[in-house]
Amino acid sequence: MYERKIIPNLNCGLDLIGEVLYGKWKIRLLWFINQGHKRPSELQRKIPDASRRVLNIQLKELEEHELVSKTIYPVVPPKVEYNLTMFGESLIPVIGALGQWGDQNEDRLRMLILKRLQGSLNVEEN
């Protein structure tokens, strides 16, 4: 398991939110759970690029940060569902605003990302 070498700064709101939301898929997980995709298999279908293991780790971290709750139903095979907590629901407008900004700047952001990727590919070739 990963062991931290640097203690995070817990005195700044930006650092706190970064600590809670750091992870490639966490924002998308919160968004999709809010949209009604509650089962791990549904979330896997919505985010096919992520491995099941990574999604499970990030869901567990979201649960530890009290943004989602996990319900395990006593049936065979086991059934698991995730729901946003009230705390998690309070993040949805923020995530929506970030998504809207991304949509408004989609062409520019795509161009910049592709330019950077192209630059890193050129460096690897040399």
Side-chain angles (χ1 to χ4, degrees):
M1 191 66 145
Y2 172 77
E3 185 177 325
R4 274 199 118 110
K5 293 176 181 62
I6 300 172
I7 297 171
N9 177 2
L10 303 178
N11 298 318
C12 170
L14 290 173
D15 289 333
L16 289 167
I17 194 145
E19 190 65 30
V20 171
L21 292 181
Y22 178 75
K24 187 170 184 176
W25 310 111
K26 286 183 181 178
I27 291 174
R28 291 177 72 185
L29 285 167
L30 290 168
W31 188 257
F32 290 137
I33 292 169
N34 183 60
Q35 289 185 324
H37 304 281
K38 301 180 184 303
R39 308 268 322 269
S41 58
E42 294 173 318
L43 294 167
Q44 180 72 59
R45 280 191 293 276
K46 295 298 287 182
I47 311 173
D49 293 341
S51 72
R52 186 63 156 275
R53 179 181 174 275
V54 169
L55 288 181
N56 286 336
I57 289 169
Q58 293 194 359
L59 284 164
K60 184 176 188 290
E61 290 173 359
L62 290 171
E63 188 179 5
E64 289 170 352
H65 288 117
E66 299 179 0
L67 297 172
V68 300
S69 62
K70 178 180 180 180
T71 305
I72 302 172
Y73 295 94
V75 294
V76 177
K79 178 182 173 183
V80 174
E81 285 186 353
Y82 290 92
N83 290 288
L84 293 181
T85 62
M86 286 179 58
F87 190 43
E89 286 176 7
S90 70
L91 258 176
I92 295 304
V94 176
I95 293 170
L98 286 171
Q100 187 176 23
W101 181 84
D103 289 343
Q104 290 169 350
N105 294 284
E106 182 178 352
D107 293 336
R108 182 176 186 178
L109 292 168
R110 184 178 292 112
M111 179 195 66
L112 293 169
I113 291 166
L114 290 172
K115 182 178 174 182
R116 184 167 185 245
L117 287 173
Q118 187 64 35
S120 67
L121 289 175
N122 291 338
V123 169
E124 289 177 10
E125 291 174 1
N126 293 331

